[in-house]
Amino acid sequence: PGEPATFGKGFLFAGRLDEEKGIKLLLEAWHLSGVGKATTLTIVGDGADRSAVEQAARVDLSISYLGSMPADQVGQLLDDCAVCVVPSLFFEPFSRSVIESYARGRPVISTGMGAMHKNVTDEVGWVCSTPSPVGLADAIRQAFGDQGDARARGMEARSLYERSYRPDIVIRSLLKIYEGLKP
């Protein structure tokens, strides 16, 4: 995506609106966190839990639901936000949302499910203590409470992307693995 944009504001969830992606967990945690009085949560996506998201956005003016959007517009929203939230409740083998956030210099709040326990660390984001509304609300409060720390984690996230996840690096790594499989 090029150089990261100036650090943005608010929180972003971009993904499928289904139970396993943790959208209802996020809605409950957002309410518990209390940060909606001072910042926003933008939600992008579609799925079985869309009506719950629409209802939450009607009731809580700090929540903005934008529906499904093309990738370039989601990229712009990543540039505009401060923190990306990936509250998955199932074993994520590899979260594209996490890597896209890192590429744009945005830290991530995660439940740590699956591979995310390796990809999201205290250096590049926040892993909630338990994948529960209380645990996620605490992580949201931490991320909002110290914006200098959030910026630093975002810078480290971009650095991690540059070291480990740029397409040329990933392709080289995969080719090396494939070459090692030759008889």
Side-chain angles (χ1 to χ4, degrees), residues 90-122:
F90 79 107
F91 187 90
E92 287 276 2
F94 186 81
S95 175
R96 193 175 91 193
S97 295
V98 169
I99 304 310
E100 288 176 353
S101 297
Y102 291 173
R104 294 182 181 274
R106 299 304 180 253
V108 172
I109 294 174
S110 163
T111 54
M113 301 296 286
M116 287 193 297
H117 81 277
K118 289 183 181 180
N119 294 339
V120 180
T121 64
D122 289 339

Side-chain angles (χ1 to χ4, degrees), residues 27-120:
L27 293 172
E28 188 173 346
W30 183 257
H31 175 73
L32 288 174
S33 75
V35 301
K37 297 172 186 143
T39 192
T40 59
L41 169 63
T42 301
I43 299 173
V44 176
D46 203 354
D49 290 334
R50 178 182 183 157
S51 62
V53 173
E54 290 172 331
Q55 175 63 23
R58 279 192 296 273
V59 172
D60 184 342
L61 298 179
S62 72
I63 299 172
S64 175
Y65 174 58
L66 303 179
S68 189
M69 300 181 86
D72 63 322
Q73 291 179 357
V74 173
Q76 183 61 55
L77 291 170
L78 274 168
D79 286 343
D80 294 342
C81 80
V83 177
C84 184
V85 186
V86 184
S88 291
L89 291 172
F90 79 107
F91 187 90
E92 287 276 2
F94 186 81
S95 175
R96 193 175 91 193
S97 295
V98 169
I99 304 310
E100 288 176 353
S101 297
Y102 291 173
R104 294 182 181 274
R106 299 304 180 253
V108 172
I109 294 174
S110 163
T111 54
M113 301 296 286
M116 287 193 297
H117 81 277
K118 289 183 181 180
N119 294 339
V120 180

Side-chain angles (χ1 to χ4, degrees), residues 156-173:
E156 183 56 34
R158 174 57 184 228
S159 178
L160 176 61
Y161 169 78
E162 289 290 335
R163 290 189 316 269
S164 303
Y165 296 113
R166 274 193 354 249
D168 60 313
I169 292 171
V170 173
I171 289 169
R172 251 194 326 260
S173 177

